[in-house]
Amino acid sequence: MIFNEAKNFINGAFKSGSSSKIHRVISPLDGKELTTFTESTSEDLDEIISFAQKAQKAWQKVTLKERAQVFYKYKQLLEKNSAELTEVIYLENGKVHGEAKAEIDKAIELTEFACSLPQFVNGENMEVSRGIYCASTRSPLGVVASIVPFNFPSMVPHWTIVNALALGNAVILKPSEAVPISSQYIAKLLKEAGLPDGLFNVINGTQSTVENICDHPDIKAITFVGSTKVAKIVYQRASHNLKQVLALGGAKNHIVLLPDAHPEMASSNIVASMSGCSGQRCMAASTLIAVGNCDTILNKLIGDAQKIKCGTTLGAVISKAAKERIEGYITEAEKQGAKIILDGRNTVVPGKENGFYVGPTIIDYATADMPVAREEVFGPVLSIIRVDTIEEALAIENANPYGNACSVFTQSGGLANYVTENASAGMCGVNIGVPVPREPFGFGGWNESRFGSGDITGKSSIGFFTKEKKTTTKWNPEAGTNWMS
Ligand code: NAD
């Protein structure tokens, strides 16, 4: 399947960006060109915003219950088109079909949460003094922007767009330049679901487009999801321009493995976590800290990882540069004295010789100071550090600058509590490799994995995408006066 040019979506219609810079979009599966897009200009952004502001003014007058109706229809459209949407993710991102389908399933769950927002956004009303009532209500912010990464072309946009829209905002989505196609389908289906024109918009581009978004005075809030390096730039630039910002960054997630863990459960969960989406997940297990003698479990884990088939149960990584970066980490660890137990370098998938594949890789006897064990690798690579005590394991986890996820594998409730209480991560798991909180809980890490406050999904997103108004009312003249009358 080759796609038409990926265009901007503005006021309900597709339109090319107006610079002269054309970008090629390459499929990681075989290195072939899938589509192109044209870099957008600041004038393109101005045009989108002028329509978006007009549409948002009308949209905020529609009640939340009525706005939610669009998302019931949208959910049905996601379900109906699931196979085609899955195929698009497979082609542009390179993950395997099951993982691509899981993204659509998650987009559906996120949309269900948007449909349920009327049950959560009910405000408060209280008699604060005799005959005097104070009520809180929530209003939309206006035009908001969502800047997203390559690794989840559909799920991560759905983290923000459905809630932001249902809560009465207009949204501008800036997709990753590596995977701009899924956003075209999101735009098409939201329109088909009955979302009025101008409320959902797509702007394609790279760094300059993000900078224009950060600087535009009429964008009230920005969510960013991507690497820590860019999260910091976006957070600083947009906050400096007095916008509300939530910027999620990269990750280095630790697994604390204790010798009493259930072998099958630990092995299957850890292998799925390190290899799922080719390790290109901000929740992927990346460094395993084995406490004491965990050899039986580790041998099982290595055996399970060996069964993974590149090109069948393991997808591609996003680009040639990503493949080279990941393989570089493995080579460097080898030179530094770590033992490569399973080596995914130089993997070639028959029939897909030009694809970008890295096989599952397990590195034993890594140390906490090695880049492979310390930095975000973003590939199907698991480093094992061996320690004697839980305190040593926690010291390594706590010292890492990131703080997205940490999971412990044990059958002891007390030890599990001890690890989750003391880990420096926003999302912790017990016997779960990918501890993603599901709605209505919110998604968000700590430390250098998140800049700004609150979570990006779930109930927390209500606070981010709305502003609260408090109204104090007195109707009864006999209520008299008091200190605040
Ligand atoms: P990235 O930071 O390179 O790109 C993210 C977005 O920023 C893209 O839309 C891109 O066009 C834009 N961008 C890139 N460089 C920029 C610059 N210099 N100035 C302004 N904008 C710029 O991230 P990526 O490679 O697309 O995605 C992978 C990263 O995203 C990983 O670090 C991963 O951990 C992270 N991620 C984090 C979460 C989370 O929830 N914390 C979720 C998914 C991915």
Side-chain angles (χ1 to χ4, degrees):
M1 190 164 26
I2 301 293
F3 299 87
N4 294 330
E5 182 194 355
K7 295 188 176 174
N8 292 343
F9 192 66
I10 160 165
N11 199 31
F14 288 102
K15 187 177 173 186
S16 297
S18 34
S19 81
S20 54
K21 197 161 179 210
I22 312 283
H23 293 266
R24 295 168 68 227
V25 179
I26 304 297
S27 176
L29 297 171
D30 52 15
K32 289 193 184 139
E33 183 173 311
L34 271 183
T35 187
T36 58
F37 71 86
T38 310
E39 180 89 32
S40 304
T41 62
S42 59
E43 288 76 25
D44 293 329
L45 185 62
D46 286 342
E47 193 185 5
I48 285 178
I49 289 174
S50 67
F51 284 112
Q53 280 182 312
K54 217 175 286 167
Q56 193 275 330
K57 285 209 169 67
W59 185 235
Q60 72 179 6
K61 297 208 170 78
V62 178
T63 64
L64 174 56
K65 266 179 174 289
E66 279 176 87
R67 291 195 297 254
Q69 296 309 312
V70 171
F71 299 95
Y72 283 103
K73 183 79 202 302
Y74 180 63
K75 172 184 172 308
Q76 286 172 352
L77 290 170
L78 287 175
E79 286 164 348
K80 189 173 142 204
N81 293 281
S82 172
E84 189 180 1
L85 300 172
T86 296
E87 189 66 17
V88 171
I89 296 171
Y90 164 70
L91 291 170
E92 67 174 342
N93 174 277
K95 58 181 69 174
V96 298
H97 278 100
E99 293 164 349
K101 161 92 169 44
E103 265 201 61
I104 301 305
D105 292 344
K106 186 64 200 177
I108 290 167
E109 183 175 70
L110 290 157
T111 305
E112 283 169 358
F113 182 72
C115 294
S116 76
L117 280 169
Q119 322 313 322
F120 288 103
V121 191
N122 43 11
E124 289 173 336
N125 195 337
M126 185 186 173
E127 188 179 27
V128 290
S129 294
R130 195 77 194 106
I132 299 181
Y133 291 83
C134 195
S136 72
T137 49
R138 291 201 165 268
S139 311
L141 302 178
V143 179
V144 301
S146 176
I147 303 161
V148 292
F150 78 81
N151 61 328
F152 285 94
S154 185
M155 181 189 80
V156 171
H158 281 93
W159 277 358
T160 51
I161 57 180
V162 284
N163 289 353
L165 287 167
L167 291 166
N169 302 285
V171 173
I172 301 170
L173 177 68
K174 206 304 266 166
S176 159
E177 55 271 42
V179 293
I181 307 170
S182 288
S183 301
Q184 305 279 293
Y185 284 77
I186 295 171
K188 186 171 151 288
L189 295 184
L190 280 169
K191 186 173 169 103
E192 202 177 324
L195 187 74
D197 291 347
L199 290 173
F200 178 70
N201 307 277
V202 177
I203 188 154
N204 287 297
T206 54
Q207 180 176 343
S208 61
T209 301
V210 172
E211 288 169 355
N212 290 337
I213 290 172
C214 291
D215 294 347
H216 203 291
D218 294 326
I219 294 177
K220 300 297 177 202
I222 297 179
T223 58
F224 171 89
V225 181
S227 62
T228 290
K229 180 176 149 246
V230 184
K232 283 182 182 171
I233 294 170
V234 168
Y235 185 78
Q236 284 175 334
R237 189 163 179 149
S239 308
H240 178 77
N241 289 326
L242 306 176
K243 297 184 193 313
Q244 184 168 300
V245 194
L246 179 58
L248 303 191
K252 185 73 181 175
N253 304 313
H254 295 78
I255 300 278
V256 177
L257 178 64
L258 304 186
D260 74 332
H262 187 285
E264 275 77 33
M265 186 155 70
S267 171
S268 60
N269 275 269
I270 296 168
V271 169
S273 178
M274 61 78 70
S275 65
C277 299
S278 302
Q280 300 175 120
R281 277 196 286 210
C282 65
M283 296 295 281
S286 188
T287 294
L288 184 154
I289 311 173
V291 181
N293 185 347
C294 296
D295 283 355
T296 312
I297 304 169
L298 291 176
N299 288 337
K300 171 139 192 44
L301 189 152
I302 292 159
D304 284 349
Q306 277 167 335
K307 291 182 202 145
I308 294 172
K309 288 266 164 299
C310 232
T312 313
T313 51
L314 183 69
V317 297
I318 192 68
S319 63
K320 187 160 177 281
K323 177 177 161 69
E324 288 168 1
R325 188 196 67 240
I326 298 161
E327 293 187 344
Y329 272 110
I330 304 168
T331 302
E332 189 183 25
E334 189 174 38
K335 280 192 196 143
Q336 291 173 325
K339 198 168 159 197
I340 315 298
I341 304 286
L342 192 59
D343 190 351
R345 285 172 293 183
N346 306 314
T347 296
V348 175
V349 174
K352 291 177 177 165
E353 288 76 8
N354 294 323
F356 314 128
Y357 289 93
V358 179
T361 300
I362 295 182
I363 301 175
D364 204 353
Y365 298 101
T367 53
D369 56 339
M370 290 181 184
V372 76
R374 194 164 38 90
E375 296 173 9
E376 182 172 44
V377 177
F378 226 50
V381 178
L382 185 69
S383 303
I384 302 172
I385 300 176
R386 293 169 180 259
V387 298
D388 294 326
T389 65
I390 293 181
E391 294 306 338
E392 284 173 84
L394 283 168
I396 292 170
E397 193 279 337
N398 284 190
N400 196 273
Y402 295 106
N404 231 29
C406 175
S407 286
V408 55
F409 283 82
T410 178
Q411 295 191 66
S412 158
L415 293 178
N417 280 350
Y418 185 73
V419 173
T420 57
E421 275 175 27
N422 289 288
S424 183
M427 294 173 280
C428 288
V430 176
N431 299 318
I432 289 186
V434 186
V436 173
R438 291 178 67 168
E439 285 58 37
F441 295 93
F443 187 102
W446 286 3
N447 311 329
E448 299 232 327
S449 295
R450 180 188 59 185
F451 305 92
S453 61
D455 290 331
I456 200 162
T457 61
K459 283 194 277 184
S460 188
S461 69
I462 298 166
F464 186 82
F465 287 119
T466 58
K467 50 193 177 194
E468 190 180 33
K469 181 178 281 178
K470 283 72 57 182
T471 305
T472 305
T473 308
K474 179 166 71 177
W475 290 111
N476 177 5
E478 277 141 42
T481 55
N482 62 18
W483 60 269
M484 66 168 202
S485 298

